Short mmCIF file of all heavy atoms in Angstrom, two decimals:
data_model
loop_
_atom_site.label_atom_id
_atom_site.label_comp_id
_atom_site.label_asym_id
_atom_site.label_seq_id
_atom_site.Cartn_x
_atom_site.Cartn_y
_atom_site.Cartn_z
N GLU S 771 44.73 74.46 -103.93
CA GLU S 771 43.74 73.42 -103.69
C GLU S 771 42.40 73.71 -104.35
O GLU S 771 41.73 72.80 -104.84
CB GLU S 771 43.51 73.22 -102.18
CG GLU S 771 44.41 72.21 -101.57
CD GLU S 771 43.93 71.80 -100.18
OE1 GLU S 771 42.79 72.14 -99.79
OE2 GLU S 771 44.69 71.10 -99.51
N LEU S 772 41.98 74.96 -104.36
CA LEU S 772 40.68 75.29 -104.93
C LEU S 772 40.62 74.90 -106.40
O LEU S 772 39.62 74.33 -106.86
CB LEU S 772 40.40 76.79 -104.76
CG LEU S 772 39.10 77.29 -105.41
CD1 LEU S 772 37.88 76.50 -104.92
CD2 LEU S 772 38.91 78.79 -105.13
N GLU S 773 41.68 75.19 -107.14
CA GLU S 773 41.69 74.83 -108.55
C GLU S 773 41.65 73.31 -108.73
O GLU S 773 40.96 72.78 -109.61
CB GLU S 773 42.92 75.41 -109.24
CG GLU S 773 42.79 76.85 -109.69
CD GLU S 773 42.56 77.84 -108.54
OE1 GLU S 773 43.05 77.57 -107.41
OE2 GLU S 773 41.92 78.87 -108.76
N ARG S 774 42.40 72.60 -107.87
CA ARG S 774 42.38 71.14 -107.98
C ARG S 774 41.02 70.58 -107.57
O ARG S 774 40.55 69.59 -108.15
CB ARG S 774 43.49 70.56 -107.09
CG ARG S 774 44.88 70.72 -107.72
CD ARG S 774 45.95 70.05 -106.88
NE ARG S 774 46.30 70.87 -105.73
CZ ARG S 774 46.92 70.39 -104.64
NH1 ARG S 774 47.22 69.10 -104.56
NH2 ARG S 774 47.23 71.20 -103.65
N TYR S 775 40.37 71.22 -106.64
CA TYR S 775 39.02 70.80 -106.25
C TYR S 775 38.03 70.99 -107.41
O TYR S 775 37.20 70.12 -107.69
CB TYR S 775 38.57 71.59 -105.03
CG TYR S 775 37.09 71.46 -104.71
CD1 TYR S 775 36.54 70.23 -104.36
CD2 TYR S 775 36.24 72.57 -104.79
CE1 TYR S 775 35.18 70.10 -104.07
CE2 TYR S 775 34.89 72.44 -104.50
CZ TYR S 775 34.36 71.21 -104.15
OH TYR S 775 33.02 71.10 -103.87
N VAL S 776 38.13 72.11 -108.10
CA VAL S 776 37.23 72.35 -109.23
C VAL S 776 37.48 71.34 -110.34
O VAL S 776 36.53 70.86 -110.99
CB VAL S 776 37.37 73.80 -109.74
CG1 VAL S 776 36.63 73.99 -111.06
CG2 VAL S 776 36.85 74.77 -108.69
N LEU S 777 38.73 70.97 -110.56
CA LEU S 777 39.01 69.92 -111.55
C LEU S 777 38.40 68.59 -111.09
O LEU S 777 37.96 67.79 -111.92
CB LEU S 777 40.52 69.77 -111.76
CG LEU S 777 41.21 70.94 -112.48
CD1 LEU S 777 42.71 70.71 -112.56
CD2 LEU S 777 40.63 71.14 -113.87
N HIS S 778 38.39 68.37 -109.78
CA HIS S 778 37.72 67.18 -109.23
C HIS S 778 36.22 67.22 -109.56
O HIS S 778 35.64 66.21 -109.98
CB HIS S 778 37.93 67.12 -107.72
CG HIS S 778 37.15 66.06 -107.03
ND1 HIS S 778 37.59 64.75 -106.89
CD2 HIS S 778 35.92 66.10 -106.42
CE1 HIS S 778 36.68 64.05 -106.26
NE2 HIS S 778 35.66 64.83 -105.95
N LEU S 779 35.60 68.39 -109.37
CA LEU S 779 34.18 68.53 -109.69
C LEU S 779 33.94 68.33 -111.18
O LEU S 779 32.93 67.73 -111.59
CB LEU S 779 33.68 69.92 -109.27
CG LEU S 779 33.67 70.22 -107.77
CD1 LEU S 779 33.18 71.64 -107.53
CD2 LEU S 779 32.78 69.23 -107.01
N LEU S 780 34.85 68.84 -112.00
CA LEU S 780 34.71 68.66 -113.44
C LEU S 780 34.79 67.18 -113.81
O LEU S 780 34.05 66.69 -114.68
CB LEU S 780 35.79 69.46 -114.18
CG LEU S 780 35.77 69.36 -115.70
CD1 LEU S 780 34.46 69.91 -116.27
CD2 LEU S 780 36.97 70.12 -116.28
N HIS S 781 35.68 66.47 -113.15
CA HIS S 781 35.81 65.03 -113.40
C HIS S 781 34.50 64.31 -113.02
O HIS S 781 34.04 63.43 -113.76
CB HIS S 781 36.98 64.47 -112.59
CG HIS S 781 37.25 63.03 -112.85
ND1 HIS S 781 37.91 62.57 -113.97
CD2 HIS S 781 36.95 61.92 -112.12
CE1 HIS S 781 38.00 61.25 -113.92
NE2 HIS S 781 37.43 60.83 -112.81
N LYS S 782 33.92 64.69 -111.90
CA LYS S 782 32.63 64.09 -111.50
C LYS S 782 31.54 64.41 -112.52
O LYS S 782 30.73 63.55 -112.87
CB LYS S 782 32.21 64.62 -110.12
CG LYS S 782 32.92 63.98 -108.95
CD LYS S 782 32.35 64.49 -107.63
CE LYS S 782 30.90 64.14 -107.48
NZ LYS S 782 30.33 64.60 -106.17
N LEU S 783 31.53 65.66 -112.99
CA LEU S 783 30.55 66.03 -114.01
C LEU S 783 30.76 65.19 -115.26
O LEU S 783 29.77 64.71 -115.86
CB LEU S 783 30.71 67.52 -114.35
CG LEU S 783 29.86 68.01 -115.53
CD1 LEU S 783 28.37 67.98 -115.17
CD2 LEU S 783 30.28 69.40 -115.98
N ASP S 784 31.99 64.99 -115.65
CA ASP S 784 32.29 64.21 -116.84
C ASP S 784 31.71 62.80 -116.73
O ASP S 784 31.09 62.29 -117.66
CB ASP S 784 33.81 64.16 -117.04
CG ASP S 784 34.21 63.52 -118.35
OD1 ASP S 784 34.34 62.28 -118.39
OD2 ASP S 784 34.36 64.26 -119.34
N LEU S 785 31.91 62.18 -115.58
CA LEU S 785 31.37 60.82 -115.37
C LEU S 785 29.85 60.82 -115.42
O LEU S 785 29.23 59.91 -115.98
CB LEU S 785 31.87 60.28 -114.03
CG LEU S 785 33.38 60.02 -113.91
CD1 LEU S 785 33.71 59.57 -112.48
CD2 LEU S 785 33.82 58.96 -114.91
N GLU S 786 29.25 61.84 -114.82
CA GLU S 786 27.79 61.92 -114.79
C GLU S 786 27.23 62.12 -116.20
O GLU S 786 26.23 61.51 -116.58
CB GLU S 786 27.35 63.07 -113.88
CG GLU S 786 25.87 63.40 -113.92
CD GLU S 786 24.96 62.31 -113.38
OE1 GLU S 786 25.47 61.28 -112.89
OE2 GLU S 786 23.72 62.48 -113.43
N LEU S 787 27.89 62.96 -116.99
CA LEU S 787 27.41 63.20 -118.35
C LEU S 787 27.56 61.96 -119.22
O LEU S 787 26.69 61.64 -120.03
CB LEU S 787 28.17 64.37 -118.98
CG LEU S 787 27.97 65.74 -118.30
CD1 LEU S 787 28.70 66.82 -119.08
CD2 LEU S 787 26.50 66.09 -118.17
N ARG S 788 28.65 61.24 -119.06
CA ARG S 788 28.82 59.99 -119.80
C ARG S 788 27.73 58.99 -119.42
O ARG S 788 27.15 58.32 -120.28
CB ARG S 788 30.20 59.39 -119.53
CG ARG S 788 31.34 60.08 -120.24
CD ARG S 788 32.67 59.39 -119.92
NE ARG S 788 33.79 60.02 -120.57
CZ ARG S 788 34.23 59.71 -121.79
NH1 ARG S 788 33.61 58.77 -122.48
NH2 ARG S 788 35.27 60.33 -122.31
N SER S 789 27.48 58.89 -118.13
CA SER S 789 26.45 57.96 -117.65
C SER S 789 25.08 58.34 -118.19
O SER S 789 24.32 57.48 -118.65
CB SER S 789 26.43 57.95 -116.12
OG SER S 789 25.33 57.23 -115.63
N ALA S 790 24.76 59.63 -118.13
CA ALA S 790 23.46 60.10 -118.63
C ALA S 790 23.33 59.87 -120.13
O ALA S 790 22.27 59.46 -120.61
CB ALA S 790 23.29 61.58 -118.30
N ALA S 791 24.40 60.12 -120.88
CA ALA S 791 24.35 59.92 -122.32
C ALA S 791 24.18 58.44 -122.65
O ALA S 791 23.43 58.08 -123.57
CB ALA S 791 25.62 60.48 -122.98
N ASP S 792 24.87 57.57 -121.92
CA ASP S 792 24.73 56.13 -122.15
C ASP S 792 23.33 55.64 -121.84
O ASP S 792 22.83 54.69 -122.45
CB ASP S 792 25.75 55.35 -121.31
CG ASP S 792 27.16 55.45 -121.86
OD1 ASP S 792 27.30 55.75 -123.06
OD2 ASP S 792 28.12 55.24 -121.09
N ALA S 793 22.67 56.31 -120.88
CA ALA S 793 21.30 55.94 -120.50
C ALA S 793 20.27 56.68 -121.35
O ALA S 793 19.07 56.47 -121.16
CB ALA S 793 21.07 56.24 -119.02
N PHE S 794 20.73 57.53 -122.26
CA PHE S 794 19.86 58.36 -123.10
C PHE S 794 18.99 59.27 -122.23
O PHE S 794 17.88 59.63 -122.62
CB PHE S 794 18.99 57.51 -124.02
CG PHE S 794 19.76 56.49 -124.82
CD1 PHE S 794 19.50 55.14 -124.69
CD2 PHE S 794 20.77 56.91 -125.68
CE1 PHE S 794 20.23 54.21 -125.42
CE2 PHE S 794 21.51 55.98 -126.42
CZ PHE S 794 21.24 54.62 -126.28
N GLU S 795 19.50 59.65 -121.07
CA GLU S 795 18.77 60.53 -120.15
C GLU S 795 19.34 61.93 -120.27
O GLU S 795 20.09 62.41 -119.42
CB GLU S 795 18.87 60.00 -118.72
CG GLU S 795 18.19 58.65 -118.52
CD GLU S 795 18.39 58.09 -117.13
OE1 GLU S 795 19.07 58.74 -116.30
OE2 GLU S 795 17.87 56.99 -116.87
N PHE S 796 18.97 62.60 -121.34
CA PHE S 796 19.55 63.91 -121.59
C PHE S 796 18.91 65.01 -120.74
O PHE S 796 19.45 66.11 -120.67
CB PHE S 796 19.53 64.22 -123.08
CG PHE S 796 20.54 63.42 -123.83
CD1 PHE S 796 20.20 62.21 -124.40
CD2 PHE S 796 21.85 63.85 -123.89
CE1 PHE S 796 21.15 61.44 -125.06
CE2 PHE S 796 22.82 63.09 -124.55
CZ PHE S 796 22.46 61.88 -125.12
N ASN S 797 17.79 64.72 -120.12
CA ASN S 797 17.29 65.66 -119.11
C ASN S 797 18.25 65.67 -117.92
O ASN S 797 18.56 66.73 -117.36
CB ASN S 797 15.87 65.28 -118.68
CG ASN S 797 15.74 63.84 -118.24
OD1 ASN S 797 16.59 63.00 -118.52
ND2 ASN S 797 14.66 63.53 -117.53
N ARG S 798 18.73 64.50 -117.54
CA ARG S 798 19.75 64.42 -116.48
C ARG S 798 21.05 65.07 -116.95
O ARG S 798 21.74 65.74 -116.17
CB ARG S 798 19.96 62.96 -116.11
CG ARG S 798 21.06 62.72 -115.08
CD ARG S 798 20.88 61.38 -114.35
NE ARG S 798 21.06 60.24 -115.20
CZ ARG S 798 22.18 59.50 -115.26
NH1 ARG S 798 23.24 59.84 -114.52
NH2 ARG S 798 22.25 58.44 -116.02
N TYR S 799 21.39 64.88 -118.20
CA TYR S 799 22.60 65.44 -118.79
C TYR S 799 22.58 66.97 -118.72
O TYR S 799 23.52 67.61 -118.22
CB TYR S 799 22.70 64.97 -120.24
CG TYR S 799 23.93 65.36 -121.01
CD1 TYR S 799 24.94 64.45 -121.23
CD2 TYR S 799 24.06 66.63 -121.58
CE1 TYR S 799 26.07 64.78 -121.99
CE2 TYR S 799 25.17 66.97 -122.33
CZ TYR S 799 26.18 66.04 -122.53
OH TYR S 799 27.28 66.38 -123.27
N THR S 800 21.49 67.56 -119.21
CA THR S 800 21.43 69.03 -119.23
C THR S 800 21.30 69.60 -117.82
O THR S 800 21.84 70.67 -117.53
CB THR S 800 20.25 69.52 -120.09
OG1 THR S 800 19.04 68.90 -119.65
CG2 THR S 800 20.48 69.17 -121.55
N ARG S 801 20.60 68.89 -116.94
CA ARG S 801 20.48 69.38 -115.56
C ARG S 801 21.83 69.39 -114.87
O ARG S 801 22.20 70.35 -114.18
CB ARG S 801 19.49 68.51 -114.79
CG ARG S 801 19.24 69.02 -113.37
CD ARG S 801 18.07 68.30 -112.71
NE ARG S 801 18.30 66.86 -112.60
CZ ARG S 801 17.65 65.95 -113.31
NH1 ARG S 801 16.76 66.31 -114.20
NH2 ARG S 801 17.90 64.66 -113.14
N ALA S 802 22.62 68.31 -115.06
CA ALA S 802 23.96 68.25 -114.46
C ALA S 802 24.85 69.36 -115.00
O ALA S 802 25.60 70.01 -114.25
CB ALA S 802 24.58 66.89 -114.71
N LEU S 803 24.76 69.60 -116.30
CA LEU S 803 25.58 70.63 -116.92
C LEU S 803 25.21 72.02 -116.42
O LEU S 803 26.08 72.82 -116.06
CB LEU S 803 25.44 70.55 -118.44
CG LEU S 803 26.25 71.55 -119.27
CD1 LEU S 803 27.74 71.37 -119.00
CD2 LEU S 803 25.95 71.36 -120.76
N THR S 804 23.92 72.33 -116.39
CA THR S 804 23.49 73.66 -115.95
C THR S 804 23.74 73.85 -114.45
O THR S 804 24.14 74.93 -114.03
CB THR S 804 22.01 73.89 -116.27
OG1 THR S 804 21.22 72.81 -115.73
CG2 THR S 804 21.77 73.94 -117.77
N ASP S 805 23.53 72.80 -113.66
CA ASP S 805 23.79 72.92 -112.21
C ASP S 805 25.27 73.18 -111.96
O ASP S 805 25.63 73.99 -111.09
CB ASP S 805 23.36 71.65 -111.49
CG ASP S 805 21.85 71.53 -111.36
OD1 ASP S 805 21.15 72.51 -111.68
OD2 ASP S 805 21.37 70.45 -110.95
N PHE S 806 26.13 72.51 -112.69
CA PHE S 806 27.57 72.72 -112.52
C PHE S 806 27.94 74.16 -112.87
O PHE S 806 28.67 74.82 -112.12
CB PHE S 806 28.34 71.75 -113.42
CG PHE S 806 29.83 71.92 -113.39
CD1 PHE S 806 30.58 71.42 -112.34
CD2 PHE S 806 30.49 72.60 -114.41
CE1 PHE S 806 31.96 71.58 -112.30
CE2 PHE S 806 31.86 72.76 -114.39
CZ PHE S 806 32.60 72.25 -113.33
N CYS S 807 27.41 74.65 -113.99
CA CYS S 807 27.73 76.02 -114.39
C CYS S 807 27.19 77.04 -113.40
O CYS S 807 27.87 78.03 -113.08
CB CYS S 807 27.18 76.30 -115.78
SG CYS S 807 28.05 75.41 -117.10
N ASN S 808 25.99 76.82 -112.92
CA ASN S 808 25.35 77.80 -112.04
C ASN S 808 25.87 77.74 -110.61
O ASN S 808 26.17 78.76 -110.00
CB ASN S 808 23.84 77.60 -112.04
CG ASN S 808 23.22 77.86 -113.40
OD1 ASN S 808 23.78 78.57 -114.23
ND2 ASN S 808 22.07 77.27 -113.63
N GLU S 809 25.95 76.52 -110.08
CA GLU S 809 26.24 76.36 -108.65
C GLU S 809 27.73 76.23 -108.36
O GLU S 809 28.25 76.87 -107.43
CB GLU S 809 25.48 75.15 -108.10
CG GLU S 809 23.97 75.30 -108.20
CD GLU S 809 23.22 74.01 -107.88
OE1 GLU S 809 23.87 73.09 -107.32
OE2 GLU S 809 22.03 73.93 -108.20
N ASP S 810 28.42 75.41 -109.13
CA ASP S 810 29.84 75.19 -108.85
C ASP S 810 30.73 76.28 -109.43
O ASP S 810 31.76 76.61 -108.83
CB ASP S 810 30.28 73.82 -109.39
CG ASP S 810 29.61 72.67 -108.68
OD1 ASP S 810 29.45 72.76 -107.46
OD2 ASP S 810 29.24 71.67 -109.33
N LEU S 811 30.33 76.80 -110.57
CA LEU S 811 31.16 77.82 -111.21
C LEU S 811 30.70 79.22 -110.85
O LEU S 811 31.37 79.94 -110.10
CB LEU S 811 31.19 77.61 -112.72
CG LEU S 811 31.79 76.29 -113.22
CD1 LEU S 811 31.86 76.27 -114.74
CD2 LEU S 811 33.16 76.03 -112.60
N SER S 812 29.55 79.65 -111.39
CA SER S 812 29.13 81.05 -111.22
C SER S 812 28.98 81.45 -109.76
O SER S 812 29.45 82.50 -109.33
CB SER S 812 27.82 81.29 -111.98
OG SER S 812 28.01 81.11 -113.36
N ALA S 813 28.28 80.62 -108.99
CA ALA S 813 27.98 80.98 -107.60
C ALA S 813 29.13 80.70 -106.66
O ALA S 813 29.11 81.19 -105.52
CB ALA S 813 26.73 80.23 -107.14
N PHE S 814 30.13 79.96 -107.09
CA PHE S 814 31.21 79.62 -106.17
C PHE S 814 32.60 79.94 -106.76
O PHE S 814 33.22 80.92 -106.36
CB PHE S 814 31.12 78.14 -105.79
CG PHE S 814 32.26 77.68 -104.92
CD1 PHE S 814 32.48 78.24 -103.66
CD2 PHE S 814 33.14 76.70 -105.35
CE1 PHE S 814 33.55 77.84 -102.86
CE2 PHE S 814 34.21 76.29 -104.57
CZ PHE S 814 34.42 76.85 -103.32
N PHE S 815 33.05 79.14 -107.70
CA PHE S 815 34.43 79.28 -108.18
C PHE S 815 34.69 80.65 -108.80
O PHE S 815 35.67 81.32 -108.45
CB PHE S 815 34.71 78.17 -109.19
CG PHE S 815 36.14 78.06 -109.64
CD1 PHE S 815 37.19 78.11 -108.72
CD2 PHE S 815 36.45 77.89 -110.99
CE1 PHE S 815 38.51 78.00 -109.15
CE2 PHE S 815 37.76 77.78 -111.41
CZ PHE S 815 38.79 77.83 -110.49
N PHE S 816 33.84 81.06 -109.72
CA PHE S 816 34.03 82.38 -110.34
C PHE S 816 33.96 83.49 -109.30
O PHE S 816 34.71 84.47 -109.37
CB PHE S 816 32.98 82.62 -111.42
CG PHE S 816 33.05 81.70 -112.61
CD1 PHE S 816 32.02 81.69 -113.55
CD2 PHE S 816 34.14 80.86 -112.81
CE1 PHE S 816 32.07 80.85 -114.66
CE2 PHE S 816 34.20 80.01 -113.92
CZ PHE S 816 33.15 80.01 -114.84
N ASP S 817 33.03 83.33 -108.36
CA ASP S 817 32.82 84.36 -107.34
C ASP S 817 34.05 84.50 -106.45
O ASP S 817 34.52 85.61 -106.17
CB ASP S 817 31.60 83.98 -106.51
CG ASP S 817 31.10 85.13 -105.65
OD1 ASP S 817 31.19 86.29 -106.09
OD2 ASP S 817 30.60 84.87 -104.54
N VAL S 818 34.59 83.36 -106.04
CA VAL S 818 35.75 83.39 -105.15
C VAL S 818 36.98 83.94 -105.86
O VAL S 818 37.73 84.74 -105.30
CB VAL S 818 36.03 81.97 -104.61
CG1 VAL S 818 37.37 81.94 -103.85
CG2 VAL S 818 34.90 81.52 -103.69
N ARG S 819 37.17 83.52 -107.11
CA ARG S 819 38.41 83.86 -107.79
C ARG S 819 38.35 85.15 -108.60
O ARG S 819 39.34 85.53 -109.23
CB ARG S 819 38.81 82.71 -108.73
CG ARG S 819 39.49 81.55 -108.01
CD ARG S 819 40.85 81.96 -107.48
NE ARG S 819 41.62 80.84 -106.97
CZ ARG S 819 41.91 80.65 -105.71
NH1 ARG S 819 41.49 81.52 -104.80
NH2 ARG S 819 42.63 79.61 -105.33
N LYS S 820 37.24 85.88 -108.56
CA LYS S 820 37.20 87.12 -109.35
C LYS S 820 38.21 88.13 -108.82
O LYS S 820 38.78 88.91 -109.58
CB LYS S 820 35.79 87.71 -109.36
CG LYS S 820 35.26 88.18 -108.02
CD LYS S 820 33.81 88.62 -108.12
CE LYS S 820 33.26 89.01 -106.75
NZ LYS S 820 31.82 89.32 -106.81
N ASP S 821 38.44 88.11 -107.51
CA ASP S 821 39.44 89.04 -106.95
C ASP S 821 40.82 88.74 -107.50
O ASP S 821 41.55 89.65 -107.90
CB ASP S 821 39.45 88.93 -105.42
CG ASP S 821 40.54 89.78 -104.80
OD1 ASP S 821 40.36 91.02 -104.77
OD2 ASP S 821 41.55 89.21 -104.37
N SER S 822 41.16 87.46 -107.57
CA SER S 822 42.47 87.09 -108.11
C SER S 822 42.56 87.44 -109.59
O SER S 822 43.58 87.95 -110.06
CB SER S 822 42.70 85.59 -107.90
OG SER S 822 43.93 85.18 -108.47
N LEU S 823 41.50 87.15 -110.35
CA LEU S 823 41.50 87.43 -111.78
C LEU S 823 41.66 88.92 -112.05
O LEU S 823 42.44 89.32 -112.91
CB LEU S 823 40.21 86.91 -112.41
CG LEU S 823 40.03 87.21 -113.90
CD1 LEU S 823 41.02 86.41 -114.73
CD2 LEU S 823 38.59 86.91 -114.33
N TYR S 824 40.89 89.72 -111.31
CA TYR S 824 40.87 91.16 -111.58
C TYR S 824 42.11 91.88 -111.04
O TYR S 824 42.61 92.82 -111.66
CB TYR S 824 39.65 91.81 -110.95
CG TYR S 824 38.32 91.34 -111.48
CD1 TYR S 824 37.14 91.75 -110.85
CD2 TYR S 824 38.21 90.51 -112.59
CE1 TYR S 824 35.89 91.33 -111.32
CE2 TYR S 824 36.99 90.09 -113.06
CZ TYR S 824 35.82 90.49 -112.42
OH TYR S 824 34.61 90.08 -112.87
N CYS S 825 42.60 91.43 -109.88
CA CYS S 825 43.54 92.28 -109.13
C CYS S 825 44.92 91.71 -108.90
O CYS S 825 45.84 92.47 -108.58
CB CYS S 825 42.92 92.64 -107.77
SG CYS S 825 41.36 93.57 -107.94
#
Side-chain angles (χ1 to χ4, degrees):
E771 270 195 11
L772 176 55
E773 276 63 30
R774 284 184 282 161
Y775 168 63
V776 170
L777 291 177
H778 172 86
L779 294 178
L780 180 62
H781 184 77
K782 282 185 62 179
L783 173 68
D784 187 273
L785 294 176
E786 171 66 4
L787 296 184
R788 284 181 180 271
S789 171
D792 285 339
F794 309 120
E795 295 175 0
F796 287 93
N797 53 342
R798 176 158 67 100
Y799 184 103
T800 54
R801 184 169 61 250
L803 181 60
T804 53
D805 286 351
F806 177 79
C807 290
N808 296 337
E809 298 170 14
D810 294 322
L811 298 185
S812 296
F814 176 61
F815 188 45
F816 295 170
D817 194 34
V818 171
R819 280 292 189 249
K820 65 186 177 185
D821 175 74
S822 177
L823 176 69
Y824 297 172
C825 299

